């Protein structure tokens, strides 16, 4: 699952780079186009964060210790906050 999250980010990054290079080549590299590229990339990042959180949950479910559970709680909180603020930025 973690490798899937890395793949999703790499796919999103390559799509964003291609869109940016296309915008520069066409002379359309404006703030609005840059924002659209960022929003598409942010969507990929949100998906990757979901996969990464799912991987951590599954890893902890296999052989949980209190240390693993507390680490998962901290990671889940941080990733949930990242998802919330990134989704809020996308909606703006």
């Amino acid at each position: 699952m973690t490798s899937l999250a890395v793949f999703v980010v790499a796919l999103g990054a390559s799509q964003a780079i291609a869109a940016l290079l296309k915008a520069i080549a066409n002379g359309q590299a404006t703030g609005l186009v840059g924002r659209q590229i960022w929003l598409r990339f942010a969507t990929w990042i949100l998906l990757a964060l979901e996969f990464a959180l799912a991987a951590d949950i599954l890893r902890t479910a296999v052989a949980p210790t209190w240390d693993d559970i507390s680490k998962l709680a901290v990671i889940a909180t941080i990733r949930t906050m990242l998802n919330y603020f990134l989704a809020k930025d996308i909606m703006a």
Side-chain angles (χ1 to χ4, degrees), residues 15-16 19 28 30-43:
Q15 183 187 51
Q28 299 173 343
T30 64
L32 181 60
V33 171
R35 176 82 176 152
Q36 291 172 342
I37 293 169
W38 159 247
L39 290 177
R40 280 192 302 247
F41 183 54
T43 304

Side-chain angles (χ1 to χ4, degrees), residues 15-86:
Q15 183 187 51
I17 291 169
L20 181 62
L21 292 175
K22 182 179 176 184
I24 291 170
N26 293 338
Q28 299 173 343
T30 64
L32 181 60
V33 171
R35 176 82 176 152
Q36 291 172 342
I37 293 169
W38 159 247
L39 290 177
R40 280 192 302 247
F41 183 54
T43 304
W44 285 104
I45 292 172
L46 281 174
L47 181 61
L49 282 170
E50 292 297 326
F51 280 122
L53 181 58
D56 287 337
I57 290 170
L58 290 175
R59 190 176 312 115
T60 302
V62 172
T65 64
W66 284 110
D67 187 48
D68 292 337
I69 292 170
S70 62
K71 287 178 185 176
L72 178 62
V74 171
I75 290 169
T77 302
I78 291 169
R79 288 190 180 151
T80 301
M81 288 173 37
L82 284 172
N83 277 348
Y84 172 76
F85 288 111
L86 195 53

